[in-house]
Amino acid sequence: MMYSRLIGSGSYLPEKVLTNEELESMVDTDHDWIMARTGIAERRIAADDEFTCDLAEKASKAAIKAAGVSAQDIDLIVVATTTADQVFPSTACLLQHRLGIEGPPAFDVQAVCAGFMFALDIADKFIRTGSASCALVVGAETFSRIIDWSDRRTCILFGDGGGAVVLKADQQPGILSTHLHSDGRFKDLLCVPAGISRNYQAIQSGTAFTTMEGSEVFRWAVTAMADLVDETLAANSLDKEDVDWLIPHQANVRIINAVGRRAGFPAEKVIVTVEHHGNTSAASVPLALDESIRDGTIKPGDLVLMEGFGGGFTWGSALIRI
Ligand code: UT7
């Protein structure tokens, strides 16, 4: 039986920091409201000439270095993003070229804030079936490009960033299980109601922005991610005490705390990075994972339950032995 082992992680945040105080001069909001309702103090914003592939490249190079492999060892690239550089080719193909890799499959996955979990699931299945032996899995976003910076209900929440992991085939797990879900009935609660095929006028006029029914999304995010913990533990016949760390999607500290409480995890076992990143969509979980590995919070041998939730709705989890 073949499993995927995580052998390296990396992340990258753009240099520009956008604080709550700066947002106060852009919309009718204030730092205390944002902190109390979201736990977000600041977020990073990509420079005008910085694109999703740039963030993905920096995160990937850090992950490849940490993994101790060469880019030439990688035989699968999956990039989760909602904010691709171009309509096509995929950001994964652009990234593949930047990394000097020729030949193996590279493609994007679109599941918004749950995208990294979908990408991880796919890469894991390639490895388990012997179709790949060393996979680069990336979550990268320039979400700031699809935000209406005059809408205080959304602009305070999101940020840009990238995170990546390298998975390698191994006899030992690694990824113990992955669980994915989607439900398109909720398509209008969190969306950009424009695209290439539909409402292209909004793209042309530069008004293709994220819209959200905040409190509805909040409710569903908590329920879906709390249920995912139960589903993941049951699939592995484990108890919550067996898990060292829970990494919920970094959307809002109130969502993270509510998921932790509902799932019965003490706050000390729940990873929280949202204060300095905001919601970086598909980059949120790999960013939190990489930071926690690098600062020594998550150690080799730890059992980590990661989960994402996003527009669609989409939601998914992975249980992984580091
Ligand atoms: O990956 C998933 C992505 N989405 C999310 O994670 C978002 C989930 N939702 C949330 O995080 C929360 O719903 C928000 C943080 C967006 C909003 O918090 P809330 O506690 O649900 O507030 P609310 O939407 O019920 O709004 C309460 C009040 C409203 O005023 P009125 O109508 O009561 O007078 C809003 O207009 O707060 C007002 N408000 C603001 N005030 C200051 C909304 N945004 C702001 C703001 N600053 N930025």
Side-chain angles (χ1 to χ4, degrees):
M1 180 83 178
M2 209 42 102
Y3 294 98
S4 313
R5 270 204 89 85
L6 191 156
I7 59 165
S9 66
S11 59
Y12 176 74
L13 289 163
E15 269 177 36
K16 183 182 163 37
V17 177
L18 178 64
T19 63
N20 291 345
E21 287 73 17
E22 288 170 278
L23 280 168
E24 286 175 8
S25 65
M26 296 161 63
V27 289
D28 179 15
T29 190
D30 63 84
H31 171 74
D32 292 343
W33 190 96
I34 300 173
M35 281 306 285
R37 300 288 178 127
T38 72
I40 299 169
E42 59 187 26
R43 66 289 291 145
R44 301 296 183 98
I45 304 294
D48 288 346
D49 60 352
E50 195 172 35
F51 307 108
T52 295
C53 190
D54 298 315
L55 313 189
E57 181 186 359
K58 288 184 170 123
S60 298
K61 285 182 170 164
I64 290 168
K65 189 171 175 210
V69 297
S70 136
Q72 304 312 317
D73 296 324
I74 289 165
D75 56 8
L76 173 70
I77 300 175
V78 190
V79 175
T81 188
T82 317
T83 48
D85 283 32
Q86 300 174 203
V87 175
F88 69 84
S90 67
T91 305
C93 281
L94 305 181
L95 175 65
Q96 181 184 42
H97 178 59
R98 298 265 188 101
L99 297 174
I101 303 169
E102 295 166 9
F107 55 90
D108 287 0
V109 168
Q110 219 294 44
V112 205
C113 300
F116 182 76
M117 308 318 304
F118 279 64
L120 200 69
D121 171 278
I122 293 165
D124 180 50
K125 289 190 164 84
F126 266 73
I127 287 179
R128 281 186 187 234
T129 55
S131 301
S133 60
C134 187
L136 175 64
V137 187
V138 184
E141 300 275 19
T142 45
F143 224 82
S144 60
R145 305 269 152 78
I146 50 170
I147 293 300
D148 177 354
W149 289 99
S150 66
D151 177 7
R152 69 176 182 171
R153 292 166 303 168
T154 51
C155 76
I156 57 157
L157 297 171
F158 294 93
D160 300 333
V165 298
V166 177
L167 301 178
K168 200 165 184 338
D170 200 302
Q171 303 286 345
Q172 301 293 322
I175 295 180
L176 291 156
S177 71
T178 53
H179 307 268
L180 302 183
H181 297 278
S182 305
D183 194 334
R185 280 179 301 164
F186 304 104
K187 61 185 174 51
D188 298 326
L189 294 183
L190 176 56
C191 66
V192 175
I196 301 306
S197 178
R198 183 174 177 174
N199 192 12
Y200 184 64
Q201 296 81 350
I203 303 279
Q204 284 175 311
S205 62
T207 56
F209 296 133
T210 301
T211 63
M212 183 179 65
E213 295 298 328
S215 50
E216 278 284 282
V217 175
F218 188 110
R219 199 162 56 83
W220 281 102
V222 172
T223 304
M225 286 199 282
D227 288 352
L228 259 178
V229 172
D230 294 340
E231 180 184 344
T232 309
L233 293 176
N236 291 279
S237 304
L238 291 170
D239 295 320
K240 53 186 179 299
E241 289 76 20
D242 299 316
V243 175
D244 296 297
W245 300 103
L246 177 67
I247 310 183
H249 171 46
Q250 304 290 309
N252 176 326
V253 80
R254 286 163 55 220
I255 294 178
I256 294 169
N257 290 344
V259 170
R261 264 197 315 275
R262 283 248 206 132
F265 275 76
E268 313 84 74
K269 289 175 78 171
V270 181
I271 301 285
V272 183
T273 58
V274 71
E275 181 176 356
H276 299 294
H277 299 170
N279 181 348
T280 57
S281 183
S284 113
V285 169
L287 255 169
L289 176 69
D290 182 54
E291 278 201 6
S292 307
I293 289 175
R294 283 177 192 266
D295 71 14
T297 305
I298 295 179
K299 298 183 177 57
D302 282 355
L303 192 59
V304 180
L305 201 166
M306 310 185 274
E307 46 181 6
F309 178 89
F313 291 146
T314 52
W315 62 107
S317 67
L319 186 68
I320 179 164
R321 177 81 61 192
I322 302 297

